[in-house]
């Protein structure tokens, strides 16, 4: 009996010591200046919308701490250990790197637990996080990437940051009939088929006259704010980019698409699209922003220049010519002189640009990825892919990042490869090949 008591006492003592040690560690906190002196990294554990610049309350601070990384607690159940290790390697964090977390207590604890499991030892909290609004960094146009709760609040007629100036509409974009939309969609959303904005044989955008008819049908003027989402983000981005070309001044994308709404647990509805009153007077001549869409000769003029980049948003196997990426595109290869802007594992994925929850990856990560291929914000930059969808998604991200001279080469590889005299490259190569 005595022996059991002694063991119990020892266990209690060890438990108290452990708890005391954990409490002491949790109480450790660094200011941003102290963290920088230690050459450490700040980690924002909030969702990416707040990291990007959306305030958590109507008049709250906007953005993230200087050079902070975003590792949202919401991603943890979507990241296995290998993916977290890859994230740490990408951001050059190792066991001895001091890191300081900020966000709410629950999120910080969750992230801290995973980081400790991944081998990081020096983990503290950032004591002065979000206390000095003037030093915070944000996407220059974070409002162009909306998040579910913002959209829900707008629909509920609550006060929101970056409220549309006038009339607004929500549209789900997808290819073909609205079969998934009919089963479940964002309340009040209409549906737009991508066939309304692009057509065969090359899947280039439809004529300006057809765009005018499409916009009239959906009740959209140049001063209507349009919020687009899709089961595939790049389907909505394709429609968004073409609407901007036409002249709709305020087009926004639901960051992460339908999946982000579904994950949020917000209300959904089913059934057919609501009846929309046609708006035949668009209000400006189409296209109001023709510079946003390049043709083949304009794209060719960007090649082999230091002040411009024609950027391939295709998978590496597509870029080096081991696959065309599409069953309806036979030629393999790439536009000779194009710079590789990354994409994903194949022609239907965009992992290189996405957080684990499908939202836009941080602007710093994207800019660093592009810089390796000499794709820079002060250049004239035009994105292309096979037929325009992936290119449109990166166009929207670059625009939100504040890149001023960006466009989409509409025809992409499908059009370029259909002209045998156009120069084509294939095989393994690096950034120097595009100079």
């Amino acid at each position: 009996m005595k022996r059991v008591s002694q063991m119990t006492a020892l266990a209690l003592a060890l438990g108290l010591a452990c708890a005391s040690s954990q409490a002491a560690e949790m109480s450790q906190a660094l200011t941003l200046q102290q963290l920088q002196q230690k050459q450490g990294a700040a980690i924002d554990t909030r969702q990416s919308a707040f990291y990007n610049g959306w305030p958590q309350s109507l008049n709250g601070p906007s953005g993230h701490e200087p050079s902070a990384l975003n590792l949202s607690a919401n991603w943890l159940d979507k990241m296995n250990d290998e993916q977290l290790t890859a994230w740490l390697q990408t951001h050059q964090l190792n066991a001895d790197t001091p890191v300081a977390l900020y966000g709410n207590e629950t999120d910080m604890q969750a992230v801290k637990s995973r980081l400790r499991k991944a081998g990081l030892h020096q983990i503290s909290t950032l004591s002065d996080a979000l206390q000095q609004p003037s030093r915070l960094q944000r996407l220059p146009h974070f409002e162009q990437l909306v998040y579910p709760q913002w959209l829900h609040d707008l629909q509920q007629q609550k006060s929101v940051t970056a409220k549309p100036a006038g009339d607004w509409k929500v549209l789900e974009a997808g290819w073909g009939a609205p079969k998934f939309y009919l089963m479940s969609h964002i309340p009040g959303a209409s549906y737009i088929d991508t066939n309304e904005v692009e057509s065969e044989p090359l899947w280039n955008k439809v004529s300006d006259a057809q765009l005018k008819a499409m916009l009239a049908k959906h009740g959209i003027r140049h001063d209507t704010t349009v919020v687009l989402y899709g089961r595939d983000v790049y389907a909505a981005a394709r429609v968004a980019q073409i609407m901007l070309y036409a002249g709709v001044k305020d087009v926004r994308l639901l960051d992460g698409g339908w999946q982000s709404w579904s994950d949020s647990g917000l209300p959904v509805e089913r059934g057919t699209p609501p009846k929309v009153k046609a708006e035949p007077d668009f209000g400006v001549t189409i296209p109001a922003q023709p510079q946003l869409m390049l043709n083949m000769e304009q794209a060719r003029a960007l090649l082999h220049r230091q002040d411009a980049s024609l950027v391939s948003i295709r998978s590496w196997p597509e870029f080096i010519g081991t696959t065309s990426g599409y069953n309806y595109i036979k030629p393999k290869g790439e536009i000779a002189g194009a710079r590789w802007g990354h994409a994903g594992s194949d022609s239907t994925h965009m992992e290189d640009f996405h957080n684990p929850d499908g939202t836009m990856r941080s602007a710093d990560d994207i800019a660093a990825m592009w810089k390796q291929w000499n794709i820079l914000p002060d250049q004239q930059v035009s994105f292309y892919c096979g037929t325009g969808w992936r290119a449109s998604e990166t166009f929207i991200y670059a625009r939100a990042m504040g890149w001023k001279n960006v466009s989409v080469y509409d025809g992409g590889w499908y059009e370029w490869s259909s002209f045998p005299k156009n120069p084509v490259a294939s095989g393994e190569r690096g950034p120097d090949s595009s100079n």
Side-chain angles (χ1 to χ4, degrees):
M1 188 69 182
K2 184 177 179 182
R3 178 173 174 78
V4 173
S5 298
Q6 287 176 333
M7 291 179 68
T8 302
L10 180 60
L12 283 169
L14 287 170
L16 287 170
C18 183
S20 175
S21 172
Q22 289 177 344
E25 188 176 336
M26 278 312 299
S27 67
Q28 290 178 356
L30 297 172
T31 64
L32 182 63
Q33 184 178 18
Q34 290 169 333
L35 181 67
Q36 290 171 337
Q37 288 171 346
K38 290 175 175 285
Q39 296 184 312
I43 296 181
D44 191 329
T45 66
R46 303 173 301 163
Q47 61 176 286
S48 58
F50 303 138
Y51 174 87
N52 286 341
W54 288 98
Q56 290 181 260
S57 58
L58 197 56
N59 296 306
S62 168
H64 59 266
E65 292 294 342
S67 302
L69 305 173
N70 190 200
L71 180 60
S72 173
N74 292 349
W75 305 344
L76 296 180
D77 62 349
K78 301 177 186 293
M79 294 179 83
N80 59 35
D81 292 344
E82 290 75 18
Q83 289 169 320
L84 179 58
T85 298
W87 185 90
L88 294 170
Q89 290 173 343
T90 296
H91 298 100
Q92 299 181 318
L93 302 182
N94 56 48
D96 298 320
T97 306
V99 299
L101 313 180
Y102 66 95
N104 69 45
E105 193 65 30
T106 302
D107 288 349
M108 287 194 295
Q109 287 286 0
V111 171
K112 179 183 177 181
S113 176
R114 283 294 296 275
L115 290 177
R116 285 184 66 82
K117 183 181 176 184
L120 271 66
H121 303 309
Q122 298 189 51
I123 307 173
S124 59
T125 58
L126 194 65
S127 61
D128 59 346
L130 308 178
Q131 298 301 307
Q132 298 182 39
S134 62
R135 77 183 184 194
L136 300 182
Q137 300 173 339
R138 63 192 65 82
L139 281 181
H141 297 294
F142 66 84
E143 75 284 350
Q144 294 173 3
L145 293 169
V146 307
Y147 65 102
Q149 190 62 52
W150 178 89
L151 182 53
H152 180 65
D153 288 347
L154 179 68
Q155 292 176 321
Q156 298 300 308
Q157 301 182 326
K158 295 180 180 179
S159 296
V160 294
T161 300
K163 181 180 179 180
D167 292 338
W168 53 270
K169 295 180 180 295
V170 182
L171 284 89
E172 176 174 326
W175 180 74
K179 52 183 179 180
F180 295 111
Y181 169 96
L182 293 173
M183 293 187 288
S184 187
H185 58 262
I186 294 176
S190 298
Y191 182 81
I192 182 168
D193 180 355
T194 56
N195 289 312
E196 296 179 57
V197 299
E198 62 177 13
S199 63
E200 295 185 278
L202 295 175
W203 296 110
N204 285 359
K205 67 171 182 61
V206 297
S207 70
D208 294 340
Q210 288 171 290
L211 288 182
K212 184 176 182 180
M214 177 275 293
L215 292 162
K217 168 189 167 185
H218 289 282
I220 296 170
R221 286 175 43 86
H222 74 287
D223 53 2
T224 306
T225 294
V226 180
V227 180
L228 284 153
Y229 74 94
R231 312 284 157 160
D232 296 309
V233 173
Y234 49 35
R238 175 67 162 161
V239 176
Q241 203 273 337
I242 290 173
M243 284 189 177
L244 287 165
Y245 158 87
V248 183
K249 290 190 291 187
D250 186 7
V251 182
R252 310 190 193 189
L253 209 61
L254 176 61
D255 197 11
W258 165 254
Q259 190 61 50
S260 68
W261 186 275
S262 181
D263 288 346
S264 71
L266 290 168
V268 297
E269 66 181 16
R270 60 185 302 157
T272 56
K275 289 185 178 180
V276 177
K277 181 182 177 183
E279 180 56 79
D281 181 17
F282 183 63
V284 297
T285 301
I286 296 174
Q289 296 198 79
Q291 77 281 4
L292 300 186
M293 191 76 78
L294 302 193
N295 61 31
M296 188 166 65
E297 292 311 310
Q298 291 169 320
R300 191 194 312 278
L302 303 185
L303 294 170
H304 307 293
R305 286 168 49 182
Q306 292 303 309
D307 64 340
S309 284
L310 183 62
V311 181
S312 170
I313 304 299
R314 304 175 72 207
S315 67
W316 185 249
E318 289 172 274
F319 186 76
I320 64 173
T322 57
T323 177
S324 75
Y326 304 80
N327 58 14
Y328 54 87
I329 301 178
K330 300 307 177 187
K332 301 173 184 178
E334 193 58 275
I335 298 174
R339 297 186 169 116
W340 188 50
H342 285 258
S345 52
D346 57 36
S347 62
T348 63
H349 290 87
M350 288 283 282
E351 303 101 323
D352 295 352
F353 290 92
H354 292 166
N355 293 319
D357 62 353
T359 55
M360 173 190 161
R361 192 175 171 187
S362 79
D364 287 346
D365 281 2
I366 293 174
M369 191 166 65
W370 284 342
K371 187 177 181 181
Q372 292 177 343
W373 278 77
N374 194 34
I375 303 161
L376 305 170
D378 59 350
Q379 295 174 335
Q380 180 183 354
V381 177
S382 192
F383 303 102
Y384 73 92
C385 53
T387 61
W389 287 32
R390 290 174 289 174
S392 295
E393 185 174 341
T394 51
F395 166 90
I396 296 294
Y397 294 158
R399 192 166 169 267
M401 290 162 62
W403 289 39
K404 296 188 176 358
N405 195 352
V406 292
S407 61
V408 166
Y409 164 35
D410 188 26
W413 174 245
Y414 199 3
E415 179 181 66
W416 187 272
S417 64
S418 67
F419 289 82
K421 291 185 179 180
N422 281 337
V424 170
S426 61
E428 296 278 345
R429 57 199 184 280
D432 292 343
S433 66
S434 63
N435 293 332

